[in-house]
Amino acid sequence: MPETITPPRVQDVVKTARPPLHKVILLNDDFTPRGFVVRVLKAEFRMDEGAAMRVMMTAHQRGSCVVAVFTREIAEEKATRATDMAQKEGYPLKFTTEPED
Ligand code: TYC
């Protein structure tokens, strides 16, 4: 007898929910030294020199740059840690977060 394969009932098809992602955004300012911005990006976002330099220069020229995307909790934690690193050195460097569209 041929085997019959029954497809799953509609209620049994469970969608795997993906958490919404949030962007970490680097903001430009007139005071923080470029080298320090690069240092923070490397330390907190594990970027290599080249990637950190490109992100820093984009924020410098355009006012802001998306650094990376994470779940909301991680994005907020990283933005806070990176902003605190700068504050400890007396720089106004700021990282913010916003939901990804
Ligand atoms: N604009 C700063 C300067 O000229 C450098 C800088 C770049 C600061 C990017 C913040 O997100 C930033 N020293």
Side-chain angles (χ1 to χ4, degrees):
M1 209 166 62
E3 240 178 90
T4 41
I5 299 165
T6 328
R9 290 174 303 159
V10 171
Q11 299 98 304
D12 293 343
V13 180
V14 177
K15 291 211 180 93
T16 308
R18 267 192 288 267
L21 295 176
H22 289 243
K23 301 180 271 197
V24 175
I25 299 161
L26 167 66
L27 303 179
N28 186 36
D29 67 71
D30 292 336
F31 304 101
T32 309
R34 294 178 187 198
F36 183 81
V37 180
V38 169
R39 181 135 53 91
V40 172
L41 290 169
K42 287 165 76 175
E44 189 55 41
F45 300 94
R46 302 173 146 278
M47 289 185 168
D48 64 24
E49 184 79 23
M53 190 73 88
R54 283 191 291 276
V55 167
M56 181 279 291
M57 281 310 292
T58 301
H60 178 71
Q61 289 165 348
R62 296 155 76 132
S64 66
C65 182
V66 175
V67 179
V69 292
F70 302 100
T71 57
R72 183 167 65 83
E73 212 182 347
I74 304 287
E76 284 172 358
E77 190 176 296
K78 287 194 173 276
T80 301
R81 283 171 51 108
T83 301
D84 285 354
M85 262 178 86
Q87 209 202 352
K88 284 204 186 88
E89 301 294 325
Y91 296 129
L93 183 66
K94 253 192 158 301
F95 290 79
T96 60
T97 65
E98 68 175 55
E100 202 184 42
D101 12 70

XYZ file of all heavy atoms in Angstrom:
810
model
N 0.843 -1.205 0.000
C 0.000 0.000 0.000
C 0.874 1.249 0.000
O 1.838 1.320 0.776
C -0.885 -0.005 1.268
C -2.177 0.735 0.955
S -3.527 0.516 2.138
C -3.004 1.147 3.658
N 0.577 2.226 -0.850
C 1.425 3.442 -0.857
C 1.239 4.258 0.417
O 0.131 4.347 0.933
C 0.930 4.215 -2.073
C -0.432 3.692 -2.362
C -0.565 2.322 -1.736
N 2.343 4.766 0.909
C 2.281 5.559 2.144
C 1.653 6.923 1.860
O 1.919 7.528 0.826
C 3.721 5.821 2.601
C 4.005 5.271 3.979
C 5.434 5.518 4.358
O 5.688 6.589 4.949
O 6.284 4.649 4.022
N 0.824 7.376 2.755
C 0.292 8.732 2.565
C 0.968 9.688 3.549
O 1.136 9.380 4.726
C -1.238 8.798 2.772
O -1.557 7.984 3.902
C -1.993 8.320 1.552
N 1.369 10.787 3.012
C 2.018 11.797 3.866
C 1.018 12.923 4.115
O 0.537 13.557 3.183
C 3.294 12.349 3.191
C 4.276 11.187 2.966
C 3.920 13.457 4.029
C 5.399 11.501 2.003
N 0.684 13.056 5.375
C -0.289 14.098 5.712
C 0.451 15.390 6.057
O 1.325 15.380 6.932
C -1.120 13.684 6.950
O -1.254 12.265 6.938
C -2.477 14.340 6.960
N 0.126 16.485 5.383
C 0.790 17.749 5.742
C 0.333 18.212 7.126
O -0.750 17.840 7.564
C 0.315 18.717 4.658
C -0.948 18.144 4.129
C -0.883 16.656 4.329
N 1.149 18.967 7.831
C 0.744 19.429 9.165
C -0.482 20.329 9.089
O -0.674 21.046 8.106
C 1.957 20.219 9.671
C 2.780 20.502 8.474
C 2.455 19.475 7.436
N -1.360 20.202 10.092
C -2.531 21.082 10.118
C -2.058 22.517 10.302
O -0.997 22.764 10.884
C -3.448 20.689 11.292
C -4.138 19.363 11.090
C -4.907 18.990 12.338
N -4.005 18.948 13.484
C -4.426 19.048 14.735
N -5.701 19.245 15.006
N -3.571 18.971 15.732
N -2.860 23.448 9.833
C -2.467 24.858 9.872
C -2.024 25.282 11.279
O -1.000 25.945 11.454
C -3.608 25.773 9.356
C -3.289 27.246 9.607
C -3.801 25.534 7.870
N -2.787 24.860 12.299
C -2.457 25.271 13.672
C -1.105 24.737 14.126
O -0.508 25.251 15.061
C -3.503 24.755 14.685
C -4.898 25.258 14.439
C -5.700 24.213 13.669
O -5.283 23.795 12.584
N -6.819 23.784 14.230
N -0.621 23.666 13.484
C 0.628 23.049 13.933
C 1.876 23.704 13.312
O 2.985 23.365 13.668
C 0.624 21.559 13.613
C -0.425 20.820 14.423
O -0.899 21.402 15.427
O -0.779 19.692 14.052
N 1.670 24.598 12.345
C 2.833 25.249 11.736
C 3.215 26.442 12.613
O 2.564 27.473 12.621
C 2.532 25.708 10.292
C 3.756 26.382 9.677
C 2.105 24.528 9.457
N 4.282 26.251 13.390
C 4.684 27.284 14.347
C 5.750 28.165 13.702
O 6.742 27.670 13.185
C 5.247 26.649 15.632
C 5.734 27.727 16.590
C 4.191 25.786 16.291
N 5.509 29.428 13.712
C 6.511 30.355 13.169
C 7.549 30.629 14.254
O 7.208 30.879 15.403
C 5.846 31.676 12.770
C 4.927 31.555 11.572
C 4.921 32.868 10.772
C 3.996 32.756 9.571
N 2.650 33.250 9.898
N 8.808 30.574 13.872
C 9.863 30.887 14.830
C 10.004 32.408 14.874
O 10.357 33.028 13.880
C 11.193 30.261 14.400
O 10.955 28.876 14.142
C 12.245 30.408 15.476
N 9.699 32.976 16.029
C 9.751 34.434 16.148
C 11.194 34.904 16.236
O 11.987 34.343 16.987
C 8.986 34.878 17.381
N 11.520 35.914 15.451
C 12.862 36.516 15.538
C 12.710 37.827 16.294
O 11.810 38.607 15.987
C 13.417 36.771 14.143
C 14.262 35.603 13.630
C 15.034 36.014 12.383
N 14.136 36.159 11.243
C 13.879 35.183 10.376
N 14.467 34.022 10.512
N 13.061 35.377 9.374
N 13.574 38.066 17.279
C 13.415 39.313 18.038
C 13.686 40.519 17.134
O 14.552 40.444 16.258
C 14.479 39.199 19.133
C 15.477 38.232 18.612
C 14.749 37.289 17.705
N 12.963 41.617 17.349
C 13.231 42.811 16.536
C 14.639 43.328 16.820
O 15.122 43.253 17.951
C 12.173 43.811 16.997
C 11.671 43.309 18.299
C 11.912 41.834 18.333
N 15.291 43.835 15.800
C 16.675 44.300 15.970
C 16.742 45.815 16.141
O 15.883 46.541 15.642
C 17.513 43.866 14.769
C 17.666 42.348 14.618
C 18.423 42.011 13.358
C 18.334 41.729 15.841
N 17.753 46.244 16.862
C 17.956 47.677 17.100
C 19.347 48.088 16.632
O 20.314 47.363 16.828
C 17.788 47.996 18.584
C 16.366 47.903 19.048
N 15.672 48.972 19.531
C 15.515 46.853 19.047
C 14.444 48.589 19.824
N 14.317 47.314 19.552
N 19.388 49.277 16.000
C 20.664 49.790 15.507
C 21.390 50.538 16.621
O 20.761 51.242 17.399
C 20.417 50.793 14.370
C 19.672 50.222 13.198
C 19.476 51.266 12.120
C 18.197 52.039 12.355
N 17.733 52.788 11.173
N 22.709 50.385 16.649
C 23.542 51.259 17.484
C 24.096 52.323 16.543
O 24.668 52.000 15.499
C 24.698 50.492 18.159
C 25.608 51.459 18.915
C 24.158 49.431 19.104
N 23.880 53.576 16.899
C 24.278 54.688 16.028
C 25.328 55.561 16.704
O 25.170 55.956 17.868
C 23.038 55.536 15.667
C 22.032 54.662 14.913
C 23.427 56.754 14.826
C 20.637 55.213 14.891
N 26.393 55.823 15.960
C 27.472 56.696 16.429
C 27.177 58.122 15.966
O 26.897 58.342 14.780
C 28.797 56.208 15.824
C 30.003 57.137 15.932
C 30.437 57.312 17.381
C 31.160 56.589 15.092
N 27.236 59.073 16.882
C 26.974 60.480 16.543
C 28.275 61.274 16.486
O 29.161 61.082 17.327
C 26.046 61.110 17.591
C 24.696 60.421 17.799
C 23.899 61.142 18.888
C 23.895 60.359 16.502
N 28.349 62.161 15.527
C 29.533 63.022 15.430
C 29.488 64.128 16.488
O 28.411 64.458 16.993
C 29.597 63.663 14.043
C 30.880 64.441 13.837
O 31.945 64.037 14.316
N 30.809 65.569 13.141
N 30.649 64.619 16.875
C 30.747 65.843 17.681
C 32.037 66.532 17.272
O 32.823 65.976 16.499
C 30.732 65.496 19.189
C 31.967 64.732 19.614
O 33.065 65.324 19.654
O 31.858 63.519 19.904
N 32.244 67.758 17.775
C 33.416 68.529 17.335
C 34.642 68.337 18.218
O 35.682 68.934 17.955
C 33.066 70.030 17.308
C 32.059 70.362 16.221
O 31.974 69.597 15.239
O 31.362 71.386 16.361
N 34.518 67.553 19.264
C 35.587 67.525 20.278
C 36.341 66.207 20.422
O 37.535 66.204 20.714
C 34.994 67.909 21.644
C 34.308 69.246 21.610
C 32.924 69.336 21.517
C 35.049 70.420 21.630
C 32.288 70.579 21.462
C 34.422 71.659 21.579
C 33.037 71.737 21.494
N 35.639 65.086 20.279
C 36.298 63.795 20.520
C 37.347 63.530 19.434
O 37.036 63.623 18.243
C 35.251 62.655 20.535
O 34.201 63.005 21.427
C 35.886 61.341 20.978
N 38.572 63.203 19.823
C 39.607 62.916 18.819
C 39.245 61.676 17.983
O 38.690 60.705 18.506
C 40.862 62.652 19.657
C 40.583 63.206 21.015
C 39.108 63.135 21.208
N 39.564 61.741 16.702
C 39.253 60.620 15.796
C 39.838 59.306 16.307
O 39.197 58.258 16.243
C 39.832 60.898 14.403
C 39.179 62.064 13.703
C 39.852 62.273 12.367
N 39.382 63.485 11.731
C 39.537 63.745 10.428
N 40.172 62.895 9.646
N 39.079 64.852 9.927
N 41.061 59.369 16.772
C 41.742 58.161 17.244
C 41.020 57.521 18.412
O 40.984 56.285 18.542
N 40.414 58.352 19.271
C 39.686 57.804 20.413
C 38.404 57.116 19.946
O 38.042 56.048 20.457
C 39.365 58.907 21.433
C 38.679 58.363 22.655
C 39.423 57.766 23.669
C 37.295 58.396 22.768
C 38.786 57.228 24.784
C 36.654 57.861 23.880
C 37.404 57.274 24.887
N 37.722 57.700 18.964
C 36.494 57.087 18.419
C 36.833 55.697 17.860
O 36.136 54.717 18.130
C 35.866 57.969 17.315
C 34.597 57.319 16.765
C 35.552 59.370 17.844
N 37.925 55.624 17.125
C 38.365 54.350 16.546
C 38.662 53.337 17.661
O 38.270 52.169 17.579
C 39.609 54.564 15.633
C 40.243 53.238 15.241
C 39.207 55.353 14.392
N 39.296 53.810 18.738
C 39.637 52.923 19.862
C 38.372 52.344 20.507
O 38.299 51.155 20.813
C 40.466 53.712 20.883
C 40.922 52.940 22.077
C 42.397 53.198 22.404
N 42.719 54.600 22.542
C 42.680 55.295 23.699
N 42.303 54.702 24.811
N 43.035 56.554 23.727
N 37.358 53.183 20.692
C 36.101 52.729 21.303
C 35.399 51.709 20.387
O 34.908 50.679 20.853
C 35.160 53.925 21.597
C 33.792 53.442 22.054
C 35.777 54.842 22.652
N 35.372 51.995 19.099
C 34.710 51.074 18.160
C 35.397 49.711 18.161
O 34.733 48.665 18.121
C 34.719 51.670 16.740
C 33.806 52.880 16.529
C 34.090 53.539 15.184
C 32.330 52.485 16.630
N 36.724 49.710 18.230
C 37.468 48.444 18.248
C 37.212 47.681 19.547
O 37.010 46.469 19.549
C 38.973 48.701 18.069
C 39.324 49.102 16.641
C 40.709 49.693 16.528
C 41.792 48.625 16.598
N 43.137 49.222 16.360
N 37.188 48.421 20.660
C 37.057 47.770 21.966
C 35.642 47.236 22.193
O 35.465 46.097 22.633
C 37.423 48.761 23.075
N 34.636 48.035 21.883
C 33.273 47.655 22.256
C 32.566 46.863 21.155
O 31.681 46.057 21.435
C 32.480 48.913 22.617
C 31.113 48.643 23.218
C 31.160 47.726 24.447
O 32.076 47.880 25.279
O 30.288 46.840 24.545
N 32.960 47.093 19.900
C 32.242 46.435 18.793
C 33.132 45.456 18.034
O 32.758 44.981 16.966
C 31.634 47.495 17.869
C 30.654 48.381 18.589
C 31.062 49.595 19.131
C 29.339 47.982 18.778
C 30.173 50.406 19.831
C 28.438 48.776 19.473
C 28.852 49.996 19.999
N 34.284 45.172 18.585
C 35.214 44.192 18.022
C 35.491 44.429 16.539
O 35.534 43.481 15.736
C 34.677 42.762 18.244
C 34.452 42.460 19.714
C 33.773 41.140 19.929
N 34.236 40.490 21.148
C 35.345 39.766 21.255
N 36.119 39.581 20.196
N 35.681 39.229 22.395
N 35.646 45.702 16.182
C 35.951 46.027 14.784
C 37.455 46.045 14.580
O 38.199 46.383 15.509
C 35.430 47.424 14.447
C 33.941 47.496 14.366
S 33.473 49.145 13.832
C 31.780 48.806 13.488
N 37.887 45.744 13.356
C 39.315 45.909 13.060
C 39.551 47.384 12.708
O 38.600 48.172 12.559
C 39.789 44.935 11.980
C 39.145 45.161 10.626
O 38.694 46.302 10.347
O 39.080 44.202 9.835
N 40.817 47.737 12.595
C 41.207 49.139 12.375
C 40.484 49.752 11.168
O 39.963 50.870 11.243
C 42.731 49.186 12.173
C 43.320 50.559 12.017
C 43.491 51.286 13.361
O 43.566 50.617 14.417
O 43.544 52.524 13.327
N 40.447 49.016 10.060
C 39.867 49.536 8.819
C 38.375 49.807 8.948
O 37.892 50.872 8.530
N 37.649 48.861 9.534
C 36.196 49.012 9.694
C 35.899 50.164 10.655
O 35.004 50.985 10.403
C 35.590 47.714 10.208
N 36.657 50.230 11.746
C 36.444 51.289 12.737
C 36.711 52.661 12.117
O 35.976 53.620 12.344
C 37.344 51.059 13.951
N 37.747 52.738 11.314
C 38.108 53.993 10.642
C 36.995 54.427 9.679
O 36.624 55.609 9.638
C 39.416 53.769 9.867
C 40.045 55.017 9.331
S 40.772 55.987 10.641
C 42.386 55.259 10.679
N 36.435 53.487 8.937
C 35.362 53.824 7.974
C 34.105 54.307 8.690
O 33.491 55.285 8.263
C 35.037 52.604 7.089
C 36.068 52.373 5.994
C 35.584 51.355 4.981
N 35.502 50.004 5.538
C 36.540 49.159 5.619
N 37.728 49.524 5.175
N 36.384 47.956 6.138
N 33.747 53.633 9.777
C 32.551 54.045 10.537
C 32.774 55.433 11.149
O 31.910 56.312 11.073
C 32.210 52.989 11.621
C 31.202 53.528 12.617
C 31.671 51.713 10.964
N 33.964 55.631 11.729
C 34.282 56.930 12.338
C 34.217 58.045 11.292
O 33.614 59.104 11.531
C 35.677 56.856 12.983
C 36.140 58.122 13.672
S 36.805 59.363 12.536
C 38.311 58.560 12.014
N 34.815 57.817 10.113
C 34.843 58.853 9.070
C 33.440 59.134 8.515
O 33.126 60.273 8.174
C 35.803 58.451 7.937
C 37.270 58.698 8.251
S 37.625 60.364 8.872
C 37.300 61.357 7.409
N 32.606 58.091 8.432
C 31.226 58.292 7.959
C 30.468 59.190 8.937
O 29.791 60.136 8.539
C 30.500 56.934 7.781
O 31.240 56.165 6.839
C 29.081 57.122 7.277
N 30.593 58.913 10.240
C 29.927 59.757 11.245
C 30.501 61.173 11.194
O 29.755 62.160 11.269
C 30.111 59.156 12.636
N 31.804 61.276 11.043
C 32.478 62.583 10.993
C 31.948 63.422 9.822
O 31.701 64.621 9.960
C 33.990 62.352 10.854
C 34.800 63.600 10.732
N 35.003 64.474 11.778
C 35.473 64.129 9.670
C 35.760 65.488 11.364
N 36.048 65.293 10.088
N 31.753 62.787 8.663
C 31.351 63.532 7.464
C 29.840 63.714 7.334
O 29.378 64.700 6.785
C 31.875 62.807 6.211
C 33.385 62.929 6.086
C 33.979 61.927 5.088
O 33.311 60.996 4.637
N 35.243 62.129 4.736
N 29.061 62.734 7.835
C 27.609 62.797 7.616
C 26.807 63.073 8.890
O 25.592 63.236 8.823
C 27.133 61.489 6.984
C 27.765 61.300 5.599
C 27.847 59.857 5.196
N 26.563 59.336 4.782
C 26.358 58.631 3.672
N 27.379 58.384 2.865
N 25.184 58.167 3.373
N 27.477 63.091 10.030
C 26.775 63.411 11.284
C 26.470 62.194 12.130
O 26.384 62.281 13.356
N 26.274 61.042 11.475
C 26.026 59.810 12.238
C 26.333 58.602 11.359
O 26.445 58.741 10.133
C 24.570 59.749 12.728
O 23.693 59.647 11.632
N 26.455 57.440 11.991
C 26.695 56.204 11.234
C 26.178 55.005 12.037
O 26.392 54.938 13.259
C 28.195 56.035 10.968
S 28.580 54.560 9.993
N 25.493 54.092 11.360
C 25.069 52.852 12.017
C 26.314 51.993 12.239
O 27.081 51.736 11.315
C 24.041 52.074 11.156
C 23.702 50.732 11.803
C 22.775 52.907 10.960
N 26.498 51.583 13.490
C 27.673 50.785 13.845
C 27.380 49.299 13.650
O 28.166 48.562 13.064
C 28.079 51.050 15.316
C 29.274 50.205 15.707
C 28.361 52.530 15.540
N 26.234 48.852 14.175
C 25.860 47.432 14.104
C 24.415 47.277 14.558
O 23.828 48.244 15.073
C 26.778 46.617 15.012
N 23.830 46.097 14.369
C 22.483 45.818 14.884
C 22.516 44.613 15.824
O 23.269 43.658 15.604
C 21.433 45.581 13.762
C 21.166 46.840 12.979
C 21.848 44.448 12.846
N 21.703 44.715 16.875
C 21.617 43.668 17.906
C 20.175 43.600 18.397
O 19.346 44.442 18.033
C 22.493 44.053 19.111
C 23.951 44.281 18.805
C 24.452 45.567 18.656
C 24.821 43.213 18.672
C 25.799 45.785 18.384
C 26.172 43.417 18.405
C 26.660 44.703 18.259
N 19.901 42.671 19.289
C 18.618 42.706 19.997
C 18.628 43.970 20.862
O 19.696 44.531 21.141
C 18.441 41.475 20.915
O 19.527 41.433 21.835
C 18.386 40.188 20.100
N 17.448 44.414 21.282
C 17.350 45.710 21.978
C 18.255 45.775 23.207
O 19.003 46.746 23.395
C 15.901 45.988 22.409
C 15.751 47.354 23.080
C 14.305 47.769 23.219
N 13.558 46.898 24.117
C 13.545 47.028 25.444
N 14.224 48.005 26.034
N 12.858 46.197 26.179
N 18.217 44.726 24.019
C 19.006 44.729 25.255
C 20.505 44.871 24.993
O 21.191 45.672 25.626
C 18.735 43.434 26.013
C 18.813 43.611 27.496
C 18.595 42.306 28.235
O 18.134 41.316 27.607
O 18.910 42.270 29.424
N 21.000 44.092 24.042
C 22.439 44.143 23.726
C 22.804 45.495 23.118
O 23.841 46.084 23.463
C 22.824 43.007 22.742
C 22.439 41.631 23.294
C 24.306 43.060 22.388
C 23.277 41.118 24.422
N 21.946 45.996 22.212
C 22.222 47.296 21.574
C 22.326 48.388 22.634
O 23.268 49.202 22.621
C 21.126 47.633 20.563
N 21.380 48.394 23.579
C 21.383 49.432 24.613
C 22.598 49.305 25.521
O 23.229 50.297 25.896
C 20.080 49.367 25.430
C 18.910 49.953 24.645
C 17.547 49.740 25.307
O 17.496 49.092 26.374
O 16.554 50.223 24.734
N 22.947 48.068 25.846
C 24.107 47.834 26.710
C 25.390 48.321 26.041
O 26.218 48.994 26.665
C 24.190 46.335 26.984
C 25.189 45.945 28.043
C 25.111 44.451 28.308
O 24.040 44.005 28.775
O 26.088 43.740 28.028
N 25.546 48.013 24.770
C 26.772 48.404 24.063
C 26.843 49.917 23.885
O 27.911 50.510 24.041
C 26.857 47.684 22.717
C 27.187 46.218 22.889
C 27.606 45.602 21.582
C 28.108 44.185 21.774
N 29.530 44.151 22.157
N 25.700 50.530 23.562
C 25.675 51.990 23.391
C 26.039 52.674 24.710
O 26.819 53.643 24.725
C 24.295 52.440 22.913
N 25.510 52.165 25.818
C 25.801 52.745 27.134
C 27.270 52.568 27.489
O 27.943 53.515 27.923
C 24.915 52.079 28.220
O 23.546 52.298 27.868
C 25.178 52.660 29.588
N 27.792 51.364 27.295
C 29.199 51.099 27.633
C 30.151 51.972 26.819
O 31.118 52.513 27.335
C 29.528 49.617 27.398
C 28.992 48.690 28.492
C 29.155 47.245 28.076
N 30.515 46.961 27.634
C 31.397 46.252 28.318
N 31.043 45.723 29.485
N 32.596 46.040 27.851
N 29.859 52.107 25.519
C 30.726 52.897 24.645
C 30.656 54.379 25.017
O 31.678 55.074 25.055
C 30.316 52.682 23.185
N 29.448 54.872 25.327
C 29.276 56.269 25.733
C 29.981 56.511 27.069
O 30.645 57.544 27.267
C 27.772 56.627 25.826
O 27.175 56.400 24.537
C 27.562 58.081 26.221
N 29.890 55.554 27.980
C 30.559 55.676 29.293
C 32.080 55.711 29.165
O 32.758 56.427 29.904
C 30.158 54.510 30.210
C 28.747 54.658 30.750
O 28.125 55.721 30.507
O 28.255 53.720 31.392
N 32.605 54.893 28.237
C 34.068 54.881 28.010
C 34.560 56.289 27.688
O 35.593 56.732 28.169
C 34.400 53.996 26.792
C 34.840 52.583 27.114
S 35.149 51.656 25.592
C 36.850 52.108 25.267
N 33.773 56.982 26.825
C 34.142 58.343 26.415
C 33.968 59.325 27.565
O 34.824 60.188 27.784
C 33.292 58.761 25.214
N 32.872 59.180 28.289
C 32.583 60.102 29.400
C 33.685 60.050 30.443
O 34.093 61.082 30.987
C 31.236 59.747 30.007
C 30.543 60.960 30.614
C 29.507 60.569 31.652
O 29.193 59.386 31.832
N 28.965 61.551 32.331
N 34.205 58.848 30.703
C 35.292 58.681 31.680
C 36.540 59.456 31.281
O 37.334 59.845 32.130
C 35.648 57.202 31.820
C 34.657 56.413 32.634
C 35.303 55.157 33.243
C 34.288 54.292 33.931
N 33.650 53.309 33.022
N 36.705 59.645 29.955
C 37.877 60.391 29.460
C 37.540 61.870 29.246
O 38.366 62.620 28.736
C 38.354 59.792 28.132
C 38.746 58.334 28.200
C 39.992 58.079 29.066
O 40.899 58.934 29.077
O 40.026 57.030 29.733
N 36.310 62.252 29.565
C 35.912 63.656 29.428
C 35.488 64.049 28.018
O 35.431 65.239 27.697
N 35.165 63.057 27.164
C 34.726 63.362 25.799
C 33.200 63.260 25.671
O 32.582 62.412 26.317
C 35.377 62.398 24.802
C 36.879 62.531 24.736
C 37.705 61.404 24.863
C 37.479 63.780 24.542
C 39.088 61.524 24.811
C 38.865 63.900 24.493
C 39.662 62.770 24.619
O 41.018 62.895 24.570
N 32.603 64.097 24.802
C 31.142 64.098 24.655
C 30.615 63.042 23.665
O 29.420 63.060 23.333
C 30.858 65.514 24.120
C 32.068 65.849 23.314
C 33.237 65.168 23.996
N 31.471 62.153 23.219
C 31.094 61.128 22.233
C 29.831 60.373 22.688
O 29.748 59.934 23.830
C 32.248 60.139 22.077
C 32.058 59.030 21.038
C 31.994 59.619 19.633
C 33.184 58.009 21.140
N 28.884 60.228 21.741
C 27.614 59.572 22.095
C 27.227 58.471 21.117
O 27.405 58.612 19.904
C 26.494 60.615 22.108
C 26.046 60.966 23.519
C 24.759 61.762 23.495
C 24.003 61.694 24.808
N 23.608 60.369 25.242
N 26.700 57.402 21.674
C 26.106 56.317 20.897
C 24.638 56.226 21.303
O 24.320 56.271 22.493
C 26.780 54.982 21.217
C 28.201 54.865 20.718
C 29.239 55.458 21.415
C 28.490 54.167 19.560
C 30.553 55.353 20.964
C 29.796 54.052 19.098
C 30.834 54.649 19.802
N 23.737 56.107 20.313
C 22.308 55.961 20.624
C 21.815 54.661 19.991
O 22.556 54.010 19.230
C 21.482 57.132 20.057
O 21.641 57.153 18.641
C 21.934 58.460 20.637
N 20.558 54.315 20.281
C 19.967 53.128 19.637
C 18.606 53.504 19.070
O 17.961 54.435 19.553
C 19.751 51.980 20.641
O 18.791 52.372 21.619
C 21.044 51.576 21.312
N 18.205 52.796 18.025
C 16.826 52.934 17.529
C 16.397 51.639 16.845
O 17.247 50.921 16.310
C 16.665 54.150 16.611
C 17.385 54.057 15.291
C 17.067 55.258 14.386
O 17.261 56.406 14.830
O 16.655 55.030 13.237
N 15.092 51.342 16.907
C 14.625 50.106 16.285
C 14.880 50.111 14.775
O 14.781 51.160 14.132
C 13.125 50.088 16.576
C 12.795 51.321 17.306
C 14.029 52.108 17.545
N 15.224 48.960 14.261
C 15.454 48.823 12.819
C 14.097 48.766 12.120
O 13.190 48.128 12.626
C 16.212 47.520 12.563
C 16.954 47.511 11.264
C 17.607 46.146 11.021
O 16.950 45.125 11.294
O 18.734 46.117 10.575
N 13.949 49.469 10.983
C 12.637 49.463 10.326
C 12.342 48.166 9.605
O 13.174 47.400 9.258
C 12.535 50.629 9.334
C 13.875 51.302 9.069
O 14.724 50.652 8.409
O 14.071 52.429 9.548
N 34.532 65.169 14.527
C 35.581 64.737 15.432
C 36.841 65.540 15.191
O 36.943 66.219 14.187
C 35.895 63.225 15.241
C 34.683 62.367 15.442
C 34.306 61.469 14.460
C 33.927 62.483 16.597
C 33.182 60.660 14.615
C 32.784 61.687 16.765
O 31.312 59.989 15.915
C 32.427 60.778 15.761
N 37.783 65.473 16.115
